[in-house]
Amino acid sequence: MNSLFRNIPPVTKNLLIINVLIWLVCALLPSFGESMDRNCGLHYFLSPDFKIWQPLTYMFMHANFSHVFFNMFGVLMFGAMVERVFGSARYLTFYLSAGIGAALIQLVVYFFMINHLIAQLPGADINAIAQDGANLFAQGLNWSVEPLSTLNALINIPTVGASGALFGVLLAFAMLFPNMPLYIFFIPVPVKAKWVVIGYGVMELFLGVTGLQSGVAHFAHLGGMINAFALILYWRHKGKISRGPLY
């Protein structure tokens, strides 16, 4: 086990350690966890809990054990291989850029969703709604009528998790190793990495547009993939990474 852990490249290893430690401390100290959610989870910019650093810090926060486990499992399985190709310094830049890009695209999507809801409330003061909604959430409450309850959730419930960065890593893996066979739950035959990632992208777009799976930042996932794709194309154009697939 020790030799296996030592063989994990350094950035991937430290991402695993940092994410698991933060989740563990927040789980063991609930009041500290609530403070971390308010200060480090990604809030919409009109929320009184919004901080300028949240597009970075949100990706190190997780809601529960399964959330951090599956995200870190993906970082270990795919990120380690991508890091070995990119090199540690470039991989860290890539990972953080994908996560930040995911956050920014999620905020842009929220902007349009929130403005659509505000249009249903003539004369409403969105700043007052954001402040009053934050006070309600602090008491464990929310409005019981629409669109106020949904509006308040969009503004004041934080987005957390490394999923946006992980989807960027998946995109990079598929571009580097497009023909590598992967085994997916409930599919009895291996599927090439490029088709798995394309399938994930289509599914995230469908779920994001239809809203069939609420409580998941689907557009952040897409944002991580889009930012990763653009960054890889730029690096290939500059000759900083290989232009062709490795497998």
Side-chain angles (χ1 to χ4, degrees):
M1 180 64 73
N2 287 336
S3 65
L4 177 64
F5 193 71
R6 283 197 298 268
N7 288 331
I8 301 173
V11 172
T12 299
K13 183 188 301 182
N14 283 288
L15 287 172
L16 297 176
I17 293 170
I18 292 168
N19 278 275
V20 171
L21 280 179
I22 290 175
W23 172 80
L24 189 60
V25 172
C26 289
L28 294 175
L29 302 172
S31 59
F32 176 76
E34 291 175 6
S35 176
M36 287 287 285
D37 280 343
R38 287 197 306 273
N39 288 288
C40 297
L42 178 67
H43 291 78
Y44 188 65
F45 68 89
L46 290 179
S47 170
D49 289 327
F50 174 76
K51 305 292 189 300
I52 192 66
W53 55 79
Q54 290 173 353
L56 172 64
T57 57
Y58 87 102
M59 70 181 85
F60 297 97
M61 305 288 299
H62 289 86
N64 49 49
F65 174 76
S66 63
H67 194 201
V68 70
F69 175 82
F70 285 108
N71 275 345
M72 291 304 101
F73 180 76
V75 168
L76 174 61
M77 293 298 295
F78 301 104
M81 294 185 68
V82 175
E83 181 178 350
R84 291 188 179 101
V85 175
F86 283 177
S88 294
R90 193 179 304 282
Y91 176 69
L92 179 60
T93 298
F94 175 83
Y95 182 93
L96 296 178
S97 297
I100 292 171
L104 297 179
I105 288 181
Q106 184 69 22
L107 290 177
V108 169
V109 171
Y110 275 4
F111 172 82
F112 289 105
M113 295 174 68
I114 287 169
N115 278 276
H116 173 72
L117 293 173
I118 284 290
Q120 302 174 38
L121 301 167
D125 184 344
I126 188 171
N127 291 302
I129 291 173
Q131 184 65 56
D132 292 343
N135 293 334
L136 283 174
F137 274 138
Q139 304 170 57
L141 303 172
N142 194 7
W143 282 290
S144 60
V145 295
E146 292 291 356
L148 286 174
S149 60
T150 298
L151 183 64
N152 193 28
L154 291 173
I155 294 174
N156 284 308
I157 291 182
T159 298
V160 296
S163 301
L166 174 58
F167 269 76
V169 170
L170 289 173
L171 189 284
F173 182 88
M175 293 182 72
L176 293 169
F177 309 100
N179 297 313
M180 182 169 288
L182 300 177
Y183 288 89
I184 310 298
F185 292 121
F186 310 119
I187 299 179
V189 295
V191 182
K192 291 183 178 180
K194 59 185 176 183
W195 300 122
V196 172
V197 171
I198 290 172
Y200 268 127
V202 171
M203 180 179 67
E204 291 297 318
L205 179 61
F206 173 77
L207 292 174
V209 170
T210 61
L212 290 178
Q213 187 183 27
S214 60
V216 178
H218 298 291
F219 288 104
H221 299 169
L222 288 170
M225 297 177 80
I226 292 169
N227 188 78
F229 183 71
L231 190 55
I232 290 172
L233 288 185
Y234 173 76
W235 282 344
R236 283 183 171 176
H237 176 71
K238 293 294 184 179
K240 295 181 178 180
I241 61 174
S242 172
R243 288 181 173 271
L246 302 178
Y247 183 89

